[in-house]
Amino acid sequence: MSSVDSDSSSRRASILGEDGNQGESSKAPFKYLPKHVFGSIEYPGPLSHPSSILKVIHQQDINECFNATSTSTGKPVLEMRYRGLEDSTYENPVRGHRIPSQKLLLKITRRRRKAKDKDEGVFTSEVLGSIPQTVRFRSMADYQWTPDPEGPIANLVNSLKSLDYNAILDYSFPPLEEEFLQPHENPFDPKIQYRSKMDLQPTPLFSTKNLPYAYNYKMPTQAVSEPFFDRRTQTWKTRYVNKARVIGVGPISVLHNHRLGDVPREPTMQVKNRLGALDAGLLKKLKDLFEERPVWMRYSLFARFSIEERRELQRVKAYVPTASYIMSTGPFGKCLVKYGYDPCGDRESYKYQRIFFYPNKKTVKTPINVDPLDSEEEPEGGNETKQKGWWIEKQEQLIEQGERPPLDVTKAHIFDGKYLNRERGDFQLCDITDPLIAKYINDVDKLRTKCSLQTGWYPPSLFKLIRNLIRTKYMYIWENHSPAPDSLCNIFVEEYNSGKYLLEDANQVDEEDGGNDNGEDEEGNEDDEMLNKDREDRGDDQEEGQSD
């Protein structure tokens, strides 16, 4: 056994050499990367020496390009002129863009050793530093034109550069000569034996794009030829009109402070002209729903249709304007209303009022809303609202665990105080079925005789109570994913029963009797957010006045 070990060890020694530590030489040597930083310019042409690039690019431009930042005035663009910096008056530069790179600058040194038959050399390499920024030229050279340096065009250009006011005023275009060519030897191309005598101005910079657009000199498909009468010349002419967008297809918008009863009673002529292209069955179903209920929110109305019907209603914008107009402000803001019905003049429309709020929860941590005293690490079972879409993911987990019923799109507009089917605090009062809240919603004896801009048919104290009840229960369900108990709302009910806010009701009545009939609250209160545009209505609830 020992003889075999000795033979194997001697064999390894013969392979590695006499030195027993040669086995470590098979690994690459460890070297530190130099901290020197270099800039790289990929010159699109032959270059004899790095300093030759200064013939086509200014050193100051190179410095500004590599030192440019997002806050500096310089741009990471480098302009190169093939003809040289001295003869660049009538030449458009080639633009190169600075891009990030991950390269190393390697220096190769060759030491020559003269032998009898041939030259032999020893090569050594050394890393000098990193190249984090590189300027690359990917565009072609632009059109070039060189006018006669002694011609009138060159004199005009020089006058403009020097701002010679008198020379510019005295300039006049000379008459053209009969001969346009003259013999000329071209050192770059001997085949070109003539030169143009037309003294034209130099061509402008056509584009900074890498490739120009191919227009093909064709009109777009949505442009239609249309005759029109020119009053200046008293003749008929033809012009192209863009028919891609048709104005007037969206619902008619009505403000809250309109004259009572002065509401639209039929669609516009643009909508009437499109009735023939609409589905009769779908249109009848839509009108029947407005006979059943004169005021709808868009997503609660669409919940009564099938998936295919909802897609058709969203695709063809003319369906909704055929049956309803839209209230843009007030307690019925963003609600679709049946033609001829004025919710501001009918006291029974109190149940159709809209109430909405934004959950006062920081769903994303930003430097603005993060407390510097808070710990960076979250405790176990802590805040689950860090990332967007957390609520939907949580509901899917609860559905898989059997802790809540599946999400129902047809019940997204209903608030029952138990489960949410939509992550949005936006409801009509008639869709709130929670017994505690519905008790105060249907307290018709407290309703007012005039619909106000802020609270509708409700006095401020009762409206504030309803709002607090909905917000409290909604936030509890939103955070804890379980039905909200009525005990959470005891503090608001006690404040309302104590008559703490009855003074607000008296003040509002005084303002109405005092002639503030424009529907505006002079002092304003927390309910003024109903005047604001609902920023989350850019999805299904967005009203567009365009064609399909």
Side-chain angles (χ1 to χ4, degrees):
M1 192 68 179
S2 61
S3 62
V4 176
D5 293 340
S6 62
D7 293 341
S8 60
S9 60
S10 62
R11 189 179 300 109
R12 287 196 300 270
S14 62
I15 295 174
L16 298 176
E18 298 179 357
D19 190 358
N21 297 328
Q22 289 293 327
E24 299 179 358
S25 64
S26 61
K27 299 180 181 179
F30 181 83
K31 296 183 179 180
Y32 290 97
L33 181 65
K35 296 184 180 180
H36 298 286
V37 178
F38 296 89
S40 175
I41 300 176
E42 296 182 356
Y43 179 75
L47 198 64
S48 58
H49 192 270
S51 61
S52 302
I53 199 172
L54 298 178
K55 298 180 180 179
V56 294
I57 303 176
H58 288 285
Q59 180 64 49
Q60 183 180 358
D61 296 340
I62 297 176
N63 298 338
E64 292 179 356
C65 177
F66 283 101
N67 295 331
T69 60
S70 58
T71 58
S72 61
T73 57
K75 296 181 180 181
V77 176
L78 201 58
E79 295 184 347
M80 177 187 60
R81 293 171 172 80
Y82 278 113
R83 295 186 179 182
L85 300 177
E86 298 180 357
D87 189 17
S88 60
T89 304
Y90 308 104
E91 177 188 6
N92 295 326
V94 180
R95 299 166 64 89
H97 297 270
R98 190 192 71 186
I99 60 174
S101 60
Q102 297 179 354
K103 299 187 294 184
L104 298 177
L105 180 60
L106 192 64
K107 178 182 179 181
I108 306 296
T109 304
R110 176 188 179 188
R111 296 182 179 178
R112 295 185 179 182
R113 293 182 180 179
K114 293 185 179 181
K116 295 181 180 180
D117 299 334
K118 59 180 180 179
D119 293 342
E120 295 181 356
V122 177
F123 295 87
T124 58
S125 61
E126 178 186 3
V127 178
L128 299 181
S130 60
I131 305 177
Q133 302 289 341
T134 301
V135 176
R136 291 180 178 175
F137 295 88
R138 289 292 182 265
S139 59
M140 299 180 297
D142 211 335
Y143 294 94
Q144 307 294 324
W145 177 263
T146 304
D148 186 3
E150 302 297 334
I153 293 295
N155 296 331
L156 176 61
V157 172
N158 295 331
S159 301
L160 293 173
K161 287 184 176 182
S162 60
L163 297 179
D164 191 346
Y165 180 75
N166 296 325
I168 296 173
L169 292 180
D170 296 339
Y171 178 81
S172 60
F173 287 94
L176 295 179
E177 299 181 3
E178 295 182 0
E179 297 180 359
F180 301 104
L181 297 177
Q182 65 179 2
H184 178 74
E185 295 182 1
N186 193 329
F188 301 100
D189 191 352
K191 297 181 180 180
I192 301 178
Q193 302 178 359
Y194 294 92
R195 177 179 178 177
S196 175
K197 297 179 62 177
M198 295 185 66
D199 194 16
L200 301 178
Q201 60 183 352
T203 56
L205 182 65
F206 281 82
S207 174
T208 58
K209 302 277 185 187
N210 292 342
L211 293 176
Y213 294 108
Y215 292 102
N216 295 328
Y217 300 99
K218 294 182 179 179
M219 296 297 296
T221 55
Q222 61 269 23
V224 179
S225 178
E226 183 179 275
F228 77 101
F229 183 75
D230 190 353
R231 296 181 179 180
R232 184 176 59 86
T233 59
Q234 297 295 318
T235 57
W236 284 92
K237 295 184 179 180
T238 303
R239 64 182 176 184
Y240 286 94
V241 180
N242 190 350
K243 296 291 185 179
R245 300 176 65 90
V246 180
I247 301 175
V249 182
I252 304 173
S253 180
V254 177
L255 297 175
H256 172 80
N257 57 348
H258 63 279
R259 183 180 299 176
L260 293 181
D262 187 11
V263 295
R265 302 186 181 276
E266 60 181 2
T268 60
M269 187 58 64
Q270 290 88 342
V271 175
K272 290 181 179 180
N273 295 334
R274 302 170 67 87
L275 292 177
L278 303 181
D279 182 78
L282 183 58
L283 187 59
K284 182 179 183 303
K285 183 177 180 180
L286 180 65
K287 292 184 177 181
D288 291 342
L289 289 175
F290 277 98
E291 294 295 332
E292 174 187 337
R293 173 172 159 182
V295 182
W296 290 86
M297 291 186 64
R298 181 177 288 266
Y299 70 91
S300 60
L301 175 65
F302 285 5
R304 303 288 294 272
F305 295 88
S306 63
I307 298 178
E308 292 75 13
E309 291 173 340
R310 285 199 299 268
R311 290 177 179 174
E312 182 67 12
L313 291 175
Q314 293 174 354
R315 186 185 69 85
V316 183
K317 305 299 182 182
Y319 275 103
V320 174
T322 57
S324 64
Y325 66 93
I326 187 171
M327 294 288 294
S328 58
T329 58
F332 305 96
K334 309 297 286 187
C335 289
L336 300 173
V337 186
K338 184 183 72 171
Y339 281 121
Y341 180 77
D342 188 359
C344 298
D346 184 11
R347 195 181 182 192
E348 293 297 324
S349 65
Y350 71 92
K351 52 189 173 183
Y352 304 128
Q353 289 185 203
R354 176 191 176 209
I355 187 169
F356 72 97
F357 53 87
Y358 300 106
N360 52 355
K361 195 73 174 176
K362 301 169 185 177
T363 56
V364 180
K365 278 194 172 184
T366 63
I368 298 177
N369 60 27
V370 172
D371 190 350
L373 300 179
D374 291 344
S375 174
E376 294 293 336
E377 299 181 358
E378 292 289 341
E380 296 184 1
N383 189 4
E384 301 176 3
T385 63
K386 291 182 181 179
Q387 297 181 356
K388 187 178 181 180
W390 69 275
W391 188 85
I392 297 296
E393 295 179 359
K394 183 63 178 179
Q395 304 313 304
E396 293 176 353
Q397 296 176 3
L398 296 175
I399 294 172
E400 294 178 358
Q401 299 171 4
E403 298 182 7
R404 68 150 296 163
L407 297 176
D408 191 352
V409 180
T410 61
K411 298 180 179 180
H413 60 287
I414 297 176
F415 181 77
D416 57 2
K418 298 179 180 179
Y419 299 101
L420 299 178
N421 291 283
R422 186 172 186 243
E423 189 189 11
R424 184 172 176 182
D426 192 358
F427 306 98
Q428 282 182 276
L429 297 183
C430 60
D431 295 327
I432 299 175
T433 60
D434 182 87
L436 177 62
I437 306 176
K439 171 186 174 182
Y440 295 97
I441 291 177
N442 298 322
D443 191 2
V444 295
D445 295 336
K446 302 290 180 58
L447 296 181
R448 304 166 60 250
T449 58
K450 184 176 181 180
C451 182
S452 69
L453 178 67
Q454 288 78 25
T455 62
W457 294 102
Y458 290 88
S461 59
L462 184 55
F463 186 82
K464 179 180 288 187
L465 173 63
I466 297 173
R467 187 187 191 89
N468 290 335
L469 296 179
I470 298 175
R471 182 193 292 271
T472 302
K473 287 201 168 188
Y474 178 91
M475 293 302 301
Y476 182 88
I477 303 173
W478 188 67
E479 293 178 342
N480 301 283
H481 317 289
S482 60
D486 294 344
S487 59
L488 295 173
C489 306
N490 290 339
I491 182 174
F492 302 110
V493 176
E494 292 175 358
E495 290 180 354
Y496 173 74
N497 293 332
S498 65
K500 182 178 179 180
Y501 302 107
L502 293 180
L503 183 60
E504 296 182 8
D505 299 349
N507 291 337
Q508 188 168 11
V509 173
D510 293 341
E511 289 178 1
E512 292 177 358
D513 296 339
N516 188 12
D517 295 332
N518 58 356
E520 296 181 0
D521 190 359
E522 295 178 356
E523 296 180 358
N525 51 37
E526 62 179 4
D527 297 322
D528 286 343
E529 66 181 36
M530 299 190 68
L531 293 173
N532 300 330
K533 290 290 185 181
D534 190 356
R535 292 170 293 179
E536 298 181 5
D537 281 346
R538 297 175 184 175
D540 299 339
D541 298 345
Q542 185 178 10
E543 302 295 342
E544 297 180 0
Q546 65 181 24
S547 69
D548 40 278

